[in-house]
Amino acid sequence: MAAAGGWRIRPAGPQDCESIAAIYNHAVRHTTAIWNEVTVDAANRRDWLAARVAAGFPVLVAERPDALGACAADTGPAAAAPQASVGPIPDPRPPGSGPVVAGYAAFGPWRAFDGYRATVEHSVYVDPAFRGRGLARALMQALIAEARAQGRHVMVAAIEAGNAPSIALHRSLGFGHEALMPEVGQKFGRWLDLLFMELRLDDREAP
């Protein structure tokens, strides 16, 4: 799968999990993109990736062909703006070690009941060093195509309500039917509002 500017969207593999962990941890430490407070390591992300793949859910990465850049991210469809002006975390890999993973996207079950099996919830994150290049949109478009190929009916986005760029991106991709849930979360000593958005993936009148 290709993206603008020579970037490539492809399925993630175990070799990407150091970068994915760094992206995730940056969001945990600095943003309301993820409402978790505990960081993870590459082994944790390998287990997470293996579980997603085994369940039939895609995990995609945006890759550039050189090893210049950083491996940290904090924004995307389910993400919020950074809490402070924080730069990218340096790439932990040795120079010349291969392509850089600048973002990732995935979807999984929305709720763990049989009746929701045609509905998925997604997330997408792009390294701050690589924002403004259309990667979040490219990842989202590829993820939506995967969901349609799997016969999913609805994709749900759960976005921190203050994340105007993510909300605008989702609207531009056709997400709507918004529902606001005030003060259902907390992080950094404040209550957080959650905005649900959804995209209808097909026109089926019945499952």
Side-chain angles (χ1 to χ4, degrees):
M1 291 173 270
W7 293 85
R8 187 164 71 105
I9 308 298
R10 61 166 175 79
Q15 74 278 7
D16 302 312
C17 287
E18 259 191 68
S19 296
I20 289 172
I23 288 169
Y24 180 96
N25 289 338
H26 188 271
V28 168
R29 293 187 183 107
H30 301 294
T31 83
T32 53
I34 299 171
W35 295 7
N36 283 339
E37 298 172 349
V38 178
T39 57
V40 300
D41 59 15
N44 173 281
R45 293 297 87 182
R46 282 192 289 272
D47 290 344
W48 168 80
L49 174 63
R52 286 293 172 105
V53 171
F57 296 118
V59 179
L60 305 177
V61 294
E63 174 188 81
R64 64 181 271 174
D66 60 68
L68 301 174
C71 285
D74 63 8
T75 193
Q83 303 307 308
S85 181
V86 180
I89 299 170
D91 190 332
R93 302 166 308 154
S97 60
V100 166
V101 170
Y104 74 95
F107 66 67
W110 184 50
R111 299 191 72 189
F113 299 98
D114 293 342
Y116 295 106
R117 61 184 174 270
T119 299
V120 293
E121 182 178 349
H122 73 277
S123 58
V124 58
Y125 305 96
V126 174
D127 188 314
F130 302 112
R131 291 182 193 154
R133 308 185 192 196
L135 293 183
R137 178 177 296 276
L139 282 163
M140 280 296 303
Q141 288 171 332
L143 202 64
I144 290 166
E146 290 278 347
R148 287 188 167 125
Q150 289 190 8
R152 307 293 180 176
H153 184 55
V154 171
M155 180 176 281
V156 173
I159 308 171
E160 197 277 316
N163 186 3
S166 183
I167 294 168
L169 172 64
H170 279 76
R171 285 180 178 155
S172 75
L173 290 167
F175 284 75
H177 303 287
E178 296 150 17
L180 181 66
M181 302 181 68
E183 298 187 2
V184 295
Q186 59 180 295
K187 196 173 183 183
F188 304 128
R190 64 187 179 91
W191 298 117
L192 300 176
D193 300 341
L194 185 66
L195 182 70
F196 278 118
M197 304 180 74
E198 70 169 64
L199 175 68
R200 190 73 57 84
L201 297 166
D202 62 31
D203 296 325
R204 285 180 288 171
E205 293 184 1

